[in-house]
Amino acid sequence: MDKVRRILVHVCKERAAPRRAQFVQSVTGHFSDGGADEVEVSCSLEKNQFVLYRGDKGRGTPLKRPAFCPIKHLSVTEAAAIPLDVQERGIDVGVAIILQTANQRVLLTRRAKELRIFPNVWVPPGGHVEPDETLLDAGLRELKEETGLKLEPEDVSPQMLGLWESVYPPMLSRGLPQRHHIVIYMLLRSSLSHLQLQASLSPSAAEVSACLWADRRLVRAIVSAVDGEDAGLRLDDLPSGVSVSEVSSGGALTDSTLPVTVFVSRVPLSGPDVERVSTGTKFALELWLKSLKSLKSLETLTPDP
């Protein structure tokens, strides 16, 4: 039954028929000629198959994996040690929503600590695509299930920002891969401010333990904390604390403050994970910042009527 319910990744290369991607196969590596960690692809959701194929250069969607992607570094011996039921899962498909408010903030949520995959990590709302859903329908459903925000398709301007190859655990030093996803980051632009949307927030405590409306200054700082690197941070004179809404076990929201250092923490190379923004989310937020710059440039070039 599990195989029937899940939408899986299929890859298509050189006009060949799409075939189901294998759990131990790096999708990014499949399309990369020189082992690069970022490629351009095109994609479609057809007959409950998410199909990836090589796109025209400059016209595709970015697909990226982290340099430390466990699947990339998996040895033959390690691959053989992955339980058969995990290997047979294939590669799942998820949608994550970058919800942009009218005053250019984005919604981030902290995953509940009880969750098996990436607990206590900050991400946008999102989840699996279900059979017969469009990507937008899946994103709007997950947004409502996790945050209580109900948006209609005609009320948002959807844009696919990029695709992220996500593996859990995120590093081989934490164990063999258990889950493998391609996450579609979709930008939705709302005509409402973050304060207007905040009034309708009603998060699911089973999935979300805190919420945050991040402005561009905080997002720039988050993006500067590149996982796997030691480059300096871009804090832009940010205050030492960041205002968040904590979610109680009953779903009630309480104002709280977290150290800004939480949001610029990097994924540890070894040992237990820490509260941080996920690596894939940083990738998506960087693309979001670029989309704002592109929009501003377009507005500058467009003459007044």
Side-chain angles (χ1 to χ4, degrees):
M1 181 62 71
D2 189 46
K3 292 181 180 178
V4 175
R5 289 189 294 106
R6 293 187 297 118
I7 304 299
L8 298 176
V9 174
H10 288 66
V11 293
C12 179
K13 201 171 184 181
E14 306 299 338
R15 299 181 180 273
R19 61 178 181 82
R20 179 175 147 176
Q22 301 301 304
F23 182 87
V24 295
Q25 170 186 10
S26 171
V27 178
T28 309
H30 177 78
F31 293 103
S32 173
D33 295 325
D37 292 323
E38 184 170 350
V39 295
E40 281 190 5
V41 297
S42 294
C43 61
S44 63
L45 182 58
E46 302 173 2
K47 300 178 181 178
N48 288 326
Q49 296 180 354
F50 185 65
V51 181
L52 292 170
Y53 51 97
R54 191 183 296 277
D56 296 331
K57 191 171 183 179
R59 299 177 60 185
T61 300
L63 164 64
K64 190 172 183 178
R65 66 185 176 188
F68 48 82
C69 174
I71 297 293
K72 173 185 176 181
H73 298 286
L74 202 63
S75 69
V76 174
T77 302
E78 288 167 330
I82 296 174
L84 188 59
D85 64 317
V86 174
Q87 292 192 43
E88 292 179 343
R89 284 187 59 87
I91 301 175
D92 292 286
V93 180
V95 175
I97 296 299
I98 302 293
L99 178 58
Q100 175 185 315
T101 67
N103 55 334
Q104 296 187 341
R105 295 193 180 209
V106 291
L107 177 62
L108 297 179
T109 61
R110 186 177 64 198
R111 289 172 58 80
K113 63 182 180 181
E114 295 82 12
L115 294 175
R116 290 183 302 167
I117 308 299
F118 293 109
N120 215 40
V121 170
W122 287 86
V123 297
H128 288 102
V129 181
E130 295 183 353
D132 303 319
E133 282 187 317
T134 66
L135 297 178
L136 178 57
D137 287 342
L140 291 175
R141 173 183 53 76
E142 288 288 348
L143 179 67
K144 184 176 185 301
E145 289 176 359
E146 292 188 6
T147 71
L149 293 176
K150 179 174 173 53
L151 302 181
E152 299 298 334
E154 59 271 18
D155 294 335
V156 294
S157 302
Q159 176 189 341
M160 189 182 297
L161 287 175
L163 310 175
W164 179 256
E165 185 164 12
S166 173
V167 180
Y168 184 84
M171 292 186 174
L172 278 175
S173 60
R174 299 217 188 101
L176 294 173
Q178 301 171 19
R179 294 293 185 270
H180 191 177
H181 290 77
I182 293 296
V183 180
I184 300 126
Y185 284 99
M186 184 173 291
L187 171 63
L188 300 184
R189 299 181 179 90
S190 172
S191 61
L192 302 178
S193 71
H194 75 283
L195 293 177
Q196 290 172 307
L197 291 167
Q198 176 74 14
S200 300
L201 269 183
S202 180
S204 166
E207 298 186 75
V208 174
S209 62
C211 301
L212 158 70
W213 296 99
D215 61 19
R216 281 181 290 177
R217 275 204 312 164
L218 178 57
V219 168
R220 282 193 291 265
I222 291 171
V223 168
S224 73
V226 180
D227 289 323
E229 298 183 9
D230 295 324
L233 300 175
R234 181 177 176 179
L235 295 180
D236 289 344
D237 298 322
L238 281 170
S240 59
V242 175
S243 297
V244 304
S245 297
E246 297 277 357
V247 183
S248 72
S249 58
L253 296 177
T254 305
D255 292 340
S256 184
T257 302
L258 289 178
V260 70
T261 51
V262 166
F263 300 96
V264 293
S265 294
R266 294 180 167 98
V267 58
L269 297 179
S270 60
D273 209 344
V274 297
E275 182 178 353
R276 59 184 176 84
V277 178
S278 79
T279 312
T281 301
K282 293 177 183 179
F283 161 71
L285 291 177
E286 184 173 15
L287 293 174
W288 175 66
L289 290 175
K290 290 179 180 177
S291 76
L292 292 180
K293 289 182 180 179
S294 298
L295 183 61
K296 186 174 181 180
S297 298
L298 185 59
E299 291 173 347
T300 302
L301 294 173
T302 304
D304 294 330

